[in-house]
Amino acid sequence: MRKKGLKVIILTASYGNGHLQVANSLYQECLNKGLTDVKICNLYAESHPFISEVTENLYTKSFTYGKQFYKLFYYGTDIIQNKKMLRWYYQYGLKRLTSLIQSEEPDILINTFPINAVPEFRRRTGIVIPTFNIITDYCLHSLWLHDEIDKYYVASNELKAKIHSRGIPVSKVVVSGIPIRHAFSQSYDKQALYEKYHISPEKDLILLIAGAHGVLKNIKDVCETLLLSTDHQLAVVCGKNLSLRNELAQLYNSYSGRFHCFGYLERIDELYKLANVMITKPGGITLTEATATGTPLILYKPVPGQEKENALFFSEKGAALIAKNHDELVLHINTLLQSKQKQSSLQSSIEKLYLPASQEVIMTDILKESENIAKINYSSTIKSPKKKLGS
């Protein structure tokens, strides 16, 4: 298999920002390794833009009043053992994928979302393109699993064991960690960061990550509760949610010097490094970023599905606290910030979950595995020619 001329397609979906962030991290690592023919494809959005937009909105609403709907979908599809019942999902995006493969002729396919059109393509055509799944959470959902996936890359030994218990050989699962931006592992000057963000080093800092869609409910109420009941500083990151940022603007005057509000931050890692405690939703990428910086976590009102399962994993590891309401949130913050020992314990536990250079580990292994698959495929093709595309 040619290396410099390899064509790589990274398939993703925009249900939350995490899958896209992982795709971008892997894309950059491909470039670092000298691979220049690399493409990111949001397969579902390109295949069925209307359906994709509707389902993405439903996903966003799962954080508020759509919880029960998403809970039913997530846990319902997870327990389905009969593969024939999931054929509808396997075919979703298959037509666009087939067209993409015809036009691009990729050597490697990487999934950062459970897109089963990829292994379904192999099953139908017999055409073997090395295919890899990067699982972007700390929990397992059965939609990630398929007999025609060549290798899985996961965040923990526990997740590897769960996959093995579903009949996948351990040799097909690599504990690599979840790829995040290099900035999270870079050294920094803490005093310079305090000055950059106008944050006082004299008071503890609570960092609240609101999410791209303001998925933390009643954020203004949460902020007022924290500012009234504590004497700490509070920094809120609103992302690209301009309406939320405008809503919080009036808190500046009431809590001058203690309240900081930010929009989208390219270097959000710098605030992670200043925070004494961070309040967030337990998405796989945010959790992994916190493992890199050792930031103590409070996971606020995780919704049923991967959020809840991620939160339970971190809680069981002693790497985060879970708050189900305002009162628990304030209690956990006070407990943490009044006890350096508790902070240190959480920090130590979360740092143990960090696996550095994940994208490098993943891409190095993918290139090696792809070469082995190509050799085997070449040998078997000589003996028994593959079906033609579309036959």
Side-chain angles (χ1 to χ4, degrees):
M1 180 183 286
R2 63 198 190 281
K3 182 174 179 181
K4 292 246 175 171
L6 282 177
K7 287 189 176 182
V8 180
I9 293 180
I10 303 171
L11 298 167
T12 190
S14 46
Y15 296 91
N17 291 328
H19 307 289
L20 293 169
Q21 287 188 41
V22 172
N24 287 329
S25 293
L26 293 172
Y27 176 87
Q28 187 58 52
E29 183 59 29
C30 286
L31 298 185
N32 293 343
K33 291 189 176 301
L35 304 174
T36 56
D37 201 344
V38 185
K39 177 177 290 187
I40 295 176
C41 173
N42 188 337
L43 187 67
Y44 292 160
E46 293 181 14
S47 305
H48 308 283
F50 176 73
I51 296 174
S52 182
E53 183 179 355
V54 170
T55 53
E56 284 172 25
N57 285 334
L58 287 172
Y59 172 77
T60 301
K61 289 179 174 59
S62 73
F63 296 103
T64 53
Y65 54 81
K67 288 181 184 179
Q68 293 308 313
F69 171 82
Y70 187 72
K71 177 181 180 181
L72 179 64
F73 172 81
Y74 183 88
Y75 292 108
T77 53
D78 191 36
I79 62 174
I80 294 175
Q81 298 298 320
N82 188 339
K83 297 294 184 183
K84 290 182 180 179
M85 295 178 67
L86 291 172
R87 283 286 176 239
W88 61 272
Y89 181 74
Y90 292 171
Q91 294 178 41
Y92 191 48
L94 183 59
K95 185 176 179 180
R96 167 59 182 150
L97 176 67
T98 302
S99 173
L100 188 67
I101 290 173
Q102 286 177 326
S103 61
E104 299 293 334
E105 298 184 346
D107 299 290
I108 297 171
L109 294 171
I110 300 173
N111 286 320
T112 71
F113 188 81
I115 299 174
N116 281 306
V118 178
E120 185 68 7
F121 171 85
R122 181 190 294 189
R123 188 189 71 81
R124 289 190 179 199
T125 65
I127 297 172
V128 178
I129 302 171
T131 303
F132 307 92
N133 278 2
I134 318 299
I135 298 181
T136 54
D137 285 295
Y138 289 79
C139 55
L140 179 63
H141 192 284
S142 60
L143 288 180
W144 281 104
L145 305 180
H146 195 288
D147 294 338
E148 300 295 341
I149 296 296
D150 293 299
K151 218 159 188 181
Y152 301 85
Y153 299 88
V154 302
S156 70
N157 288 309
E158 288 81 358
L159 193 48
K160 180 175 182 175
K162 285 182 181 179
I163 293 176
H164 179 53
S165 72
R166 302 283 187 95
I168 305 296
V170 291
S171 60
K172 293 181 70 172
V173 188
V174 176
V175 181
S176 60
I178 300 173
I180 55 175
R181 286 172 289 174
H182 287 294
F184 281 88
S185 59
Q186 291 176 353
S187 59
Y188 60 99
D189 181 339
K190 197 167 188 177
Q191 185 57 44
L193 294 184
Y194 279 127
E195 294 173 5
K196 177 179 178 178
Y197 293 101
H198 307 290
I199 291 170
S200 170
E202 303 302 321
K203 290 182 181 289
D204 287 335
L205 176 66
I206 303 167
L207 175 61
L208 193 156
I209 306 296
H213 305 286
V215 294
L216 276 178
K217 198 175 180 182
N218 302 323
I219 292 175
K220 186 179 178 183
D221 292 342
V222 172
C223 291
E224 289 180 324
T225 299
L226 294 175
L227 290 166
L228 280 169
S229 58
T230 75
D231 189 39
H232 310 304
Q233 295 177 101
L234 174 63
V236 182
V237 179
C238 301
K240 297 178 181 179
N241 192 329
L242 184 59
S243 61
L244 174 62
R245 194 174 182 188
N246 290 336
E247 182 184 353
L248 297 177
Q250 59 186 277
L251 295 177
Y252 278 115
N253 295 330
S254 302
Y255 302 97
S256 178
R258 290 178 52 212
F259 180 71
H260 312 270
C261 188
F262 303 96
Y264 174 77
L265 289 175
E266 183 66 33
R267 293 300 306 270
I268 194 173
D269 60 288
E270 294 178 337
L271 286 183
Y272 279 52
K273 292 163 183 173
L274 293 181
N276 298 91
V277 60
M278 183 168 80
I279 305 163
T280 185
K281 302 291 274 182
I285 307 308
T286 301
L287 292 174
T288 304
E289 291 170 347
T291 68
T293 57
T295 310
L297 289 176
I298 298 177
L299 306 176
Y300 188 53
K301 291 186 176 181
V303 299
Q306 71 271 20
E307 271 205 6
K308 178 183 176 183
E309 303 307 317
N310 284 340
L312 290 173
F313 176 80
F314 269 66
S315 177
E316 289 165 3
K317 288 292 184 180
L321 301 174
I322 299 174
K324 299 174 185 176
N325 52 52
H326 280 204
D327 292 340
E328 280 192 4
L329 180 61
V330 175
L331 177 63
H332 285 332
I333 287 172
N334 286 332
T335 300
L336 270 179
L337 297 186
Q338 290 171 13
S339 171
K340 294 300 180 184
Q341 183 178 358
K342 184 67 175 176
Q343 280 187 60
S344 178
S345 175
L346 272 181
Q347 185 172 5
S348 175
S349 295
I350 198 169
E351 286 175 345
K352 289 177 182 176
L353 297 176
Y354 178 52
L355 296 173
S358 295
Q359 52 267 63
E360 183 178 348
V361 171
I362 289 170
M363 286 312 307
T364 298
D365 192 73
I366 282 178
L367 292 175
K368 180 180 178 182
E369 189 69 19
S370 298
E371 188 171 353
N372 293 336
I373 294 169
K375 289 177 181 176
I376 295 170
N377 189 39
Y378 177 74
S379 176
S380 62
T381 301
I382 293 175
K383 296 176 183 178
S384 177
K386 295 182 291 186
K387 299 177 186 178
K388 290 185 178 180
L389 193 60
S391 63

